[in-house]
Amino acid sequence: MTDAALGNFGSAEDGDVGLLSPVSASPLVAAVTGDRAVLAAILAVESGWAAVLEKAGLAPAGSAAVVASAAQPGRYDAAAIAARAQGGGNPVIPLLADLRKQVSALDTAGVGALRAVHTSLTSQDVLDTALMLLARNTVEALLADLKTTTAALAALAEKHADTLGVGRSLTQHSLPFTFGLRAAQWFHGVAAAGRQLESVTFPVQFGGAAGTLAAGTVLAAGSRATPFTLADSLAKQLGLAPAPAPWHTNRLVITSLGNALAAVLGAAGKIAADVLFLSRPEVAELAEPRAAGRGVSSAMPQKQNPVLSVLIRSAALQAPQLVAQLHLATANFNDERPDAAWHTEWPALRELLRLALGAAGHLRELAAGLQVYPDAMRRNLDLAGPLLLAEGVGAAVAPLLAEKDGRTGKEQLQDVVDRTLAAPAAEQGATYRRLVREAVPVGALTDLRLDELLDPASYLGQAAEISRRILAEYPDYSRARPASSTDIASATDPDQNGANRG
C-alpha cells in the first residue's frame, strides 16, 4: 500500500482506541491495559532488576538510579518498538536496545549503569513478569468495581426480599419467585467469581535462557546472593508474589488467571441476559439507569436501548474463546522455552483483562442504578393465574384423594390442570379453583386452606433464607465500599511508571 493510500487510514500513532470494542473503550481500561501500560510494565521490570542487583552488590553503586531515570515510559516510542518487535518476535528486544541507549546517555557520572541492565535475564523473564504487573494492576481495579457492584446487588436483595414475581424455567413461567432472590443469585455469581479472582497469584518470572538459572548462578557467584534470593527480591521490589521455581513452560499461572476472568465475565453476562429480557417492553420489570446520549438509536428517537447490558453481554460472549486460546497455548508449550504458543497468550490474556475491566465498570453502573418495577412483576406473576401454584396444590391435595378408576390422586390432579388449560385464558383461574374443589371429598379441604394454597406468597419455599445465606457467605462483598477503580488506575498511571512499586 502506498504512503498516500495509507494516509487515508490514519497513522500508527493513532493506535487502537476501541472503535470496534466499545465495552472496553474507556480511559481506565487504556490506562491499565494499553500499549503504554505494557511498555511501562516492561520498563518497571528492568528498572526493578537493576535495583535488586545494586542492593545485592552485583551492580555498580548508583546504577539503579540511572536505569530508573532511563526507564520512564515517556522516553519511548511504543509504535516504533512494536514495529521493530517483528525482528525478534517480542517487544522486549527492541525496547531493551532503546533502554541501553538511554542508560548510556544518562550515565554522565560514568558509574557503569549498563552492567545493571537485563543481566542474566531473558526476554520471557521480563515479558512474563511485566504481564503479571499488568494483570495485577488490572485485577485491583476490577475487584474494586466488583465489590461496589455486589454491595449494590446486596442492597437490592434486601430491599426486595418480599417483592413477588414469577420464576421462569425453559422460557416458561414456573413458580412464584422474589426479585430479592434473583438479586441475591446475581450477587452470588459475582461474589464467587470475585473470590476466585482474589485467589489468583501474580508471581515473578526468573529462569534465564533455558529455565536453569545458569546465568543467574554465574552472576551471584562469590556473593551472598543466590538466583532464588534475587528472584524473591525482584518480586518484593515489584509487589508480586515470589515463585518457588521458574514457570517458563508451566502456564497454570496464566490459565488460572484466564479462568477467573472468564468466571467474572460469565457472572456479569448472566445478569446482563436477565436484564435484557426483563427490560423488554412486554415484560417491563426492570429498566437500566438512564444517562444523556445512552441507549439511543440512529433512526428511532423513541428507543431506549439497554446498552449497558448489551455491552456486558458482548464481553461475556467473547470470554470462552479467549480462555480456550490460553489453554491451547499451554498444551503446546514445547521444549524448555516455547515458540509460537507463548506469543498467542499475550493478546488473548490482555483482551480478557480489557473485557473484564470494561464490563465490570458497566456492571457497576447497572447495579447501582437499576430501576425495579414491582407492579409489573406482580402483573406478570398473575398472568399464569393459580396454575402457577399447581405443584404446591398437588403436594397438599393429592393425599386427600382416593384412587379412582385406577388413577392416583396425583394423576387426577394432572387431569384438573389439563382441563383448566383447555379453558379460555380469562376463565382458567376460576376453572382451576372449581375443578380442584370438585375433586376433593367434601369437608377435606376448607375454602381458607384452598385460598392459602393459591396465594403465591405462600409457596416461596426458603427464598428468604437462601438470600440471607448467600449474603452471609460473602460479608466482604455484601457491605464493601472500596476505593473506586478510577482511584486505583491513577495510582498505576504509566506516565508515572506506576507498574513499579519499589
Side-chain angles (χ1 to χ4, degrees):
M1 183 178 290
T2 65
D3 290 342
L6 184 61
N8 295 328
F9 296 93
S11 66
E13 285 74 19
D14 292 336
D16 180 358
V17 295
L19 286 178
L20 298 182
S21 185
V23 66
S24 56
S26 79
L28 168 62
V29 175
V32 295
T33 68
D35 281 346
R36 290 174 65 247
V38 175
L39 191 72
I42 295 172
L43 289 166
V45 175
E46 294 287 0
S47 178
W49 185 241
V52 167
L53 294 185
E54 182 179 330
K55 187 174 181 180
L58 300 174
S63 56
V66 176
V67 176
S69 180
Q72 294 303 312
R75 296 180 181 274
Y76 300 89
D77 183 343
I81 290 169
R84 289 158 54 209
Q86 297 177 63
N90 73 72
V92 175
I93 296 171
L95 178 55
L96 185 57
D98 292 351
L99 175 62
R100 285 180 169 133
K101 290 178 182 178
Q102 290 283 343
V103 169
S104 294
L106 292 171
D107 191 6
T108 55
V111 301
L114 273 176
R115 291 171 55 190
V117 177
H118 200 72
T119 302
S120 81
L121 296 178
T122 193
S123 296
Q124 188 173 350
D125 291 335
V126 175
L127 191 52
D128 278 352
T129 301
L131 288 175
M132 289 296 97
L133 282 174
L134 192 83
R136 181 205 63 198
N137 292 341
T138 305
V139 167
E140 284 184 357
L142 175 55
L143 285 169
D145 278 345
L146 292 184
K147 290 188 176 182
T148 303
T149 295
T150 52
L153 293 176
L156 284 173
E158 292 174 338
K159 179 179 180 180
H160 292 282
D162 299 320
T163 299
L164 283 174
V166 62
R168 297 172 176 88
S169 173
L170 301 180
T171 77
Q172 304 300 297
H173 289 187
S174 57
L175 292 175
F177 209 72
T178 66
F179 181 65
L181 181 55
R182 179 169 286 119
Q185 291 289 13
W186 291 347
F187 167 94
H188 194 184
V190 177
R195 186 171 285 179
Q196 180 178 343
L197 189 59
E198 286 182 306
S199 71
V200 171
T201 59
F202 305 98
V204 71
Q205 173 75 282
F206 179 42
T212 63
L213 292 170
T217 301
V218 173
L219 173 67
S223 74
R224 299 179 62 184
T226 71
F228 302 105
T229 60
L230 293 175
D232 290 348
S233 295
L234 180 61
K236 184 177 181 180
Q237 178 78 13
L238 297 174
L240 297 176
W247 46 278
H248 284 169
T249 54
N250 180 359
R251 310 307 284 179
L252 185 62
V253 169
I254 301 296
T255 55
S256 295
L257 173 58
N259 292 342
L261 293 169
V264 168
L265 285 166
K270 157 61 178 171
I271 297 173
D274 281 352
V275 173
L276 285 168
F277 172 75
L278 295 172
S279 62
R280 288 173 179 262
E282 61 270 27
V283 181
E285 295 182 9
L286 301 175
E288 291 192 350
R290 301 190 65 173
R294 188 168 63 209
V296 297
S297 165
S298 64
M300 296 167 281
Q302 83 282 3
K303 289 194 73 181
Q304 186 65 37
N305 295 318
V307 70
L308 290 176
S309 297
V310 168
L311 293 177
I312 294 165
R313 190 162 186 249
S314 76
L317 293 176
Q318 295 176 68
Q321 291 77 18
L322 294 167
V323 177
Q325 179 60 61
L326 297 180
H327 284 276
L328 179 63
T330 294
N332 284 279
F333 259 60
N334 57 304
D335 301 326
E336 282 60 61
R337 292 266 312 283
D339 45 38
W342 180 47
H343 298 69
T344 66
E345 276 185 351
W346 315 335
L349 178 60
R350 182 167 70 163
E351 189 61 16
L352 271 171
L353 290 166
R354 291 165 66 101
L355 290 172
L357 183 55
H362 297 303
L363 184 64
R364 181 196 68 228
E365 185 176 357
L366 176 64
L370 190 65
Q371 300 177 55
V372 181
Y373 301 113
D375 289 346
M377 293 178 182
R378 182 65 200 223
R379 179 199 67 214
N380 293 332
L381 170 66
D382 291 340
L383 286 176
L387 280 179
L388 198 69
L389 285 303
E391 179 187 74
V393 171
V397 174
L400 304 178
L401 305 183
E403 185 173 310
K404 183 178 181 181
D405 299 328
R407 300 176 63 78
T408 65
K410 183 177 181 179
E411 290 172 326
Q412 294 173 52
L413 288 175
Q414 182 62 55
D415 289 341
V416 168
V417 170
D418 293 342
R419 291 170 62 190
T420 301
L421 288 171
E427 300 174 12
Q428 286 181 0
T431 299
Y432 182 68
R433 177 183 285 270
R434 175 176 58 79
L435 291 176
V436 169
R437 170 59 65 205
E438 291 175 355
V440 177
V442 175
L445 181 68
T446 67
D447 289 341
L448 178 60
R449 177 57 178 152
L450 183 57
D451 287 342
E452 290 175 351
L453 291 173
L454 296 179
D455 178 4
S458 71
Y459 201 66
L460 293 172
Q462 297 295 319
E465 178 61 11
I466 292 169
S467 296
R468 188 199 67 76
R469 289 169 69 90
I470 289 173
L471 299 185
E473 180 65 21
Y474 302 91
D476 50 332
Y477 281 83
S478 61
R479 290 290 182 268
R481 293 292 191 275
S484 72
S485 57
T486 303
D487 293 338
I488 291 175
S490 66
T492 57
D493 184 354
D495 288 333
Q496 304 300 321
N497 207 9
N500 189 339
R501 294 193 168 187

